[in-house]
Amino acid sequence: MRLTQWTDYTLRVLMYCAACQDRAQPVTISEIAQAHGISRSHLTKIVQQLAARGLLDTMRGRGGGMRLMIPASEINIGAMVRSTETDFDMVECFDPESNTCRMSEHCHLRGLLIRATQAYLAVLDAVTLADLVPSAHGAGVRRSSQEGQPLQFLPGLPALVPGSVGAQG
């Protein structure tokens, strides 16, 4: 399964904002666009949608930007993916209206793929936004809330302020 670019960029915006929640100045769209090499106008649409959903507080003008409106620990990754993705049908037989497969009645692949999709979403459901970003108050690597496995951080998140608790050197 592949996430759409919209979902990918939505998660990047949220992760960037979560990583910056302790700093004095808000995050700007230009800052995220530059960090990830993404079109500023595309990010603007995503930020508008996140603000309309009550996830981001946006401030216009000089010194403006955006911040998370709710704690990162309350933003579930599985729920975010479900809200931004429109199609979890891995094969045509998932949709009875467009199914033309002649093997559907005797095929076990459909059931297997449904279970795989459910497992995929279950893994995402076990993770919050807070699990995906470094914390200025904790260690540099967070653990998945379900499995206790370390989650690796990706380039593009802002570095922690040098000298702060948990900053990586």
Side-chain angles (χ1 to χ4, degrees):
M1 178 170 288
R2 182 181 181 119
L3 297 178
T4 61
Q5 192 176 59
W6 185 271
T7 300
D8 178 19
Y9 292 173
T10 296
L11 293 174
R12 290 186 202 199
V13 167
L14 290 172
M15 288 172 64
Y16 201 98
C17 289
C20 294
Q21 65 188 1
D22 292 334
R23 75 180 197 191
Q25 70 276 18
V27 172
T28 66
I29 292 172
S30 295
E31 180 181 346
I32 297 173
Q34 183 178 11
H36 291 282
I38 300 172
S39 158
R40 198 178 173 287
S41 62
H42 195 64
L43 284 178
T44 299
K45 294 174 191 173
I46 290 169
V47 167
Q48 288 172 343
Q49 184 185 66
L50 290 170
R53 293 180 56 206
L55 294 168
L56 291 180
D57 180 24
T58 59
M59 300 143 282
R60 292 180 160 248
R62 193 167 189 69
M66 61 194 144
R67 295 188 186 280
L68 290 178
M69 285 188 70
I70 60 176
S73 61
E74 294 179 19
I75 299 174
N76 181 273
I77 299 303
M80 285 305 308
V81 169
R82 282 183 187 85
S83 73
T84 55
E85 289 295 319
T86 58
D87 183 9
F88 288 99
D89 294 348
M90 292 179 74
V91 290
E92 75 173 86
C93 64
F94 276 31
D95 183 359
E97 292 185 24
S98 65
N99 184 15
T100 61
C101 180
R102 295 179 183 192
M103 298 187 311
S104 291
E105 291 184 31
H106 307 288
C107 180
H108 296 284
L109 179 62
R110 181 176 185 272
L112 174 69
L113 293 176
I114 287 171
R115 287 195 326 268
T117 301
Q118 290 169 342
Y120 169 79
L121 291 169
V123 169
L124 296 177
D125 286 339
V127 179
T128 68
L129 182 59
D131 293 323
L132 300 179
V133 296
S135 169
H137 306 295
V141 175
R142 297 183 67 102
R143 302 223 173 253
S144 165
S145 52
Q146 181 183 33
E147 300 171 2
Q149 305 249 351
L151 298 171
Q152 300 299 315
F153 299 122
L154 301 175
L157 288 182
L160 295 175
V161 177
S164 69
V165 177
Q168 298 171 342

